[in-house]
């Protein structure tokens, strides 16, 4: 995040706009809406600015800019379009420690103005960091269509009752939940529909009702975060994150997903890697229960799907035995997400009639699996947590009859920007992984569905080798 998002209080404060054409007029409209007292410095101005000056809504001084104009201003905007003048305004403002924006010159600006959705007092700013202002405007247009026209009316109504709610509900968590229920409930609907008198009467009953002061029980949501790409997070998972008081997250959950949580939620890293656990499973279970029994909403955030090699079933059982309300929110599991991102189907008509998820990790090293049934062919094997035991898995499958030439694809950091796909034959899997030096989380796909990927890699390797040969010289 290059720019820190903030809202300036310019009410009745002087602000300087240097320039008098349409770009300056656009900025002035915003300043006037914010209650500022603008000073415009420009030898000449457009008709709109002249009319505003005549009406007494701003002060216009018909002259060139002088550095002394900056004194006492809350912020400065340069909109002359003249490179030398705009640069001089920027230098003077930044030298005086006054925020400055130079229109269409982010390199000269200490702040930028976002695309704005105005439902006063609700204001939403959307910024692309000055890289793509058209994109920011398109996002604004989409959000405008989603937001009620009278959203500001609802915010003002809630503001009028803030003191009364605070007086009745002393606990901060209970107060926040009261407001969550309010904004999602029928009283808010009445306000948005224009029935403020009915809403006021209902609100008084809501504040004075017993339910307003009754502490809610805590709960746990065991949430699958998917294989890594934040766009694969489900809507329900996103809602639970934004409602959570506490988020316990795993090693495979990226920071961009954790950042979807409420900003004031407690975030606790509980990641586990092979022989390296931040907390044991028993400690994680106890921590979830402790927070839930204290009345908090807990999200247990796991990579992939919590019920596929995620120990979600153990956590569910632990919490239910203690009478804690628990919900499971499924996620896109690694096999489905990574295979799709790599363009490898898990099933294929006439080739792979089934897919089996297996783990390459076991408490004592080698996984205890029914190798004979896994080696029958005409199915796809998706191996989770199998990098360290890939050679053993390959050897056991070949010993039980799976062909040595069976294609394999290993997908590291699947669905993420740094995704990498390495292919091999089954009999060369261990040595190929050693050459590739994979270190990130990886899914291994074994079966004929990976043949196209393997052949494409072989063809690319042959092409690279041919390109490296010396070219024949005709004589």
């Amino acid at each position: 995040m290059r720019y820190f998002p903030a809202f300036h209080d310019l009410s009745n404060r002087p602000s300087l706009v240097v320039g008098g054409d349409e770009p300056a007029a656009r900025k002035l409209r915003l300043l006037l809406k914010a209650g500022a007292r603008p000073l415009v410095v420009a030898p000449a101005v457009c008709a709109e600015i002249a009319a505003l000056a005549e009406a007494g809504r701003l002060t216009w001084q018909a002259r060139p800019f002088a550095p002394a104009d900056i004194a006492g201003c809350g912020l400065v905007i340069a909109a002359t379009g003249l490179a030398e003048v705009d640069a001089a305004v920027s230098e003077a403002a930044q030298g005086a420690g006054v925020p400055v924006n130079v229109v269409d010159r982010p390199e000269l600006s200490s702040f930028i103005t976002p695309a704005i959705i105005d439902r006063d007092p609700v204001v939403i700013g959307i910024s692309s960091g000055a890289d793509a202002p058209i994109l920011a405007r398109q996002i604004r247009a989409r959000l405008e269509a989603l937001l009620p026209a009278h959203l500001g009316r609802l915010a003002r109504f809630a503001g009028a009752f803030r003191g009364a709610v605070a007086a009745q509900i002393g606990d901060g968590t209970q107060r926040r939940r009261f407001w969550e229920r309010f904004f999602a409930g029928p009283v808010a609907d009445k306000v948005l529909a224009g029935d403020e008198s009915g809403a006021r009467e209902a609100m008084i009953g809501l504040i004075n009702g017993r339910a307003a002061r009754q502490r809610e029980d805590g709960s746990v949501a065991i949430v699958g975060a998917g294989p890594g790409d934040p766009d694969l997070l489900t809507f329900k998972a996103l809602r639970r994150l934004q409602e959570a008081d506490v988020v316990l997250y795993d090693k495979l959950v990226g920071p961009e997903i954790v950042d979807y949580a409420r900003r004031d939620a407690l975030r606790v890293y509980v990641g586990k890697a092979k022989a390296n656990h931040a907390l044991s499973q028993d400690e994680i279970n106890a921590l979830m229960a402790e927070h839930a029994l204290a009345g908090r909403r807990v999200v247990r955030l796991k990579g992939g799907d919590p019920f596929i090699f995620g120990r979600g079933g153990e956590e569910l059982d632990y919490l239910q035995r203690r009478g804690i309300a628990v919900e499971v929110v499924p996620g896109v599991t690694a096999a489905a997400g990574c295979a799709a991102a790599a363009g490898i189907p898990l099933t294929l008509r006439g080739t792979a009639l089934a897919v089996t998820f297996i783990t390459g990790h076991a408490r004592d090293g080698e996984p205890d699996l029914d190798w004979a049934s896994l080696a029958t062919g005409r199915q796809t094997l998706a191996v989770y947590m199998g990098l360290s035991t890939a050679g053993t898995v390959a050897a056991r499958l070949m010993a039980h009859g799976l062909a040595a030439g069976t294609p394999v694809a290993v997908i590291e950091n699947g669905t993420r920007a740094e995704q990498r796909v390495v292919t091999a034959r089954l009999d060369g899997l261990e040595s190929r992984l050693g050459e590739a030096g994979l270190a990130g989380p990886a899914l291994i796909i074994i079966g004929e569905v990976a043949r196209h990927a393997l052949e494409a890699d072989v063809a690319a390797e042959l092409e690279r080798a041919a390109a490296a040969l010396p070219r024949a010289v005709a004589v």
Side-chain angles (χ1 to χ4, degrees):
M1 185 170 68
R2 180 181 168 192
Y3 291 96
F4 180 78
F7 290 88
H8 284 276
D9 182 3
L10 296 176
S11 181
N12 206 33
R13 292 191 64 192
S15 299
L16 174 66
V17 176
V18 182
D21 293 328
E22 174 58 25
R26 288 198 297 267
K27 300 297 185 181
L28 282 164
R29 291 168 206 151
L30 292 175
L31 291 173
L32 290 168
K33 284 183 102 174
R37 291 190 287 115
L39 165 65
V40 177
V41 173
V45 295
C46 65
E48 181 180 350
I49 296 176
L52 289 169
E54 189 174 344
R57 297 191 62 195
L58 56 82
T59 300
W60 168 36
Q61 295 185 6
R63 58 173 176 78
F65 164 75
D69 295 331
I70 289 167
C73 289
L75 60 78
V76 173
I77 293 173
T80 69
L82 302 172
E84 289 185 10
V85 177
D86 286 345
V89 174
S90 173
E91 182 179 358
Q94 296 199 51
V98 178
V100 60
N101 172 258
V102 180
V103 175
D104 294 332
R105 296 290 301 277
E107 73 280 6
L108 296 179
S109 303
S110 63
F111 77 94
I112 56 176
T113 53
I116 293 171
I117 298 172
D118 186 4
R119 299 285 195 278
D120 184 49
V122 177
V123 179
I124 301 170
I126 302 153
S127 171
S128 65
D131 287 334
I134 300 299
L135 175 62
R137 281 182 225 144
Q138 289 178 344
I139 294 170
R140 179 189 65 187
R142 293 179 189 178
L143 290 177
E144 286 271 19
L146 296 174
L147 297 175
H150 300 300
L151 195 62
R153 178 190 294 168
L154 179 60
R156 285 190 294 273
F157 180 92
F161 282 94
R162 280 189 68 187
V165 171
Q168 283 287 79
I169 309 171
D171 180 77
T173 298
Q174 285 180 253
R175 193 161 56 245
R176 178 171 55 78
R177 292 189 183 173
F178 171 88
W179 284 115
E180 287 173 352
R181 292 194 302 272
F182 163 76
F183 286 116
V187 180
D189 289 341
K190 283 179 180 290
V191 178
L192 292 173
D195 182 11
E196 289 206 36
S197 60
R200 191 171 297 276
E201 185 178 336
M203 186 66 164
I204 292 168
L206 199 63
I207 294 171
N208 293 323
R210 199 156 91 195
R213 293 176 300 282
Q214 188 173 2
R215 196 186 85 166
E216 287 186 20
D217 292 333
S219 61
V220 177
I222 302 173
V223 175
D229 181 352
D231 285 343
L232 295 179
L233 201 66
T234 66
F235 285 129
K236 181 177 276 192
L238 184 60
R239 286 200 303 273
R240 294 297 174 264
L241 273 172
Q242 293 173 347
E243 294 164 355
D245 302 306
V246 182
V247 178
L248 280 61
Y249 63 98
D250 276 352
K251 179 176 183 289
L252 297 180
V253 179
E256 63 273 26
I257 292 177
V258 179
D259 280 347
Y260 282 129
R262 272 186 25 244
R263 202 170 299 165
D264 56 343
L266 174 64
R267 304 174 187 191
V268 183
Y269 174 69
V270 295
K272 296 194 291 289
K274 188 174 181 181
N276 181 18
H277 294 184
L279 293 177
S280 70
Q281 187 62 52
D282 288 343
E283 289 172 320
I284 294 170
N285 291 345
L287 191 59
M288 285 190 295
E290 176 189 338
H291 283 297
L293 291 171
R296 301 183 186 102
R297 294 175 183 163
V298 180
V299 163
R300 174 69 174 102
L301 192 59
K302 295 172 167 288
D305 182 275
F307 273 14
I308 299 179
F309 303 123
R311 303 188 74 170
E314 299 171 40
E315 295 173 347
L316 175 69
D317 180 60
Y318 179 92
L319 295 164
Q320 286 182 333
R321 281 190 281 109
R322 283 155 181 79
I324 296 169
V326 58
E327 172 189 28
V328 178
V329 180
V332 176
T333 190
C338 297
I344 299 172
L346 290 175
T347 63
L348 195 60
R349 188 169 63 173
T351 301
L353 306 181
V355 57
T356 302
F357 299 163
I358 64 175
T359 176
H361 173 74
R363 185 173 297 175
D364 300 320
E366 182 178 333
D368 182 19
L369 300 171
D370 183 357
W371 298 108
S373 65
L374 294 174
T376 56
R378 294 179 69 80
Q379 67 173 319
T380 301
L381 303 179
V383 186
Y384 289 68
M385 300 170 286
L387 276 183
S388 62
T389 57
T392 301
V393 170
R396 294 290 178 268
L397 290 171
M398 288 187 292
H400 286 81
L402 192 60
T406 301
V408 182
V410 184
I411 307 165
E412 180 188 45
N413 292 315
T415 77
R416 302 184 184 188
E418 63 271 27
Q419 174 177 296
R420 184 182 174 198
V421 181
V422 172
T423 62
R425 285 168 40 115
L426 189 61
D427 58 358
L429 177 59
E430 186 170 22
S431 61
R432 181 73 181 95
L433 290 179
E435 294 167 6
L438 301 186
L443 179 88
I444 303 174
I445 297 177
I446 303 172
E448 287 298 318
V449 293
R451 184 165 296 282
H452 177 74
L454 173 61
E455 290 176 348
D457 269 3
V458 170
E461 186 61 36
L462 290 173
E463 194 172 313
R464 283 192 294 271
L469 291 174
R471 295 182 180 274
V473 179
V475 293

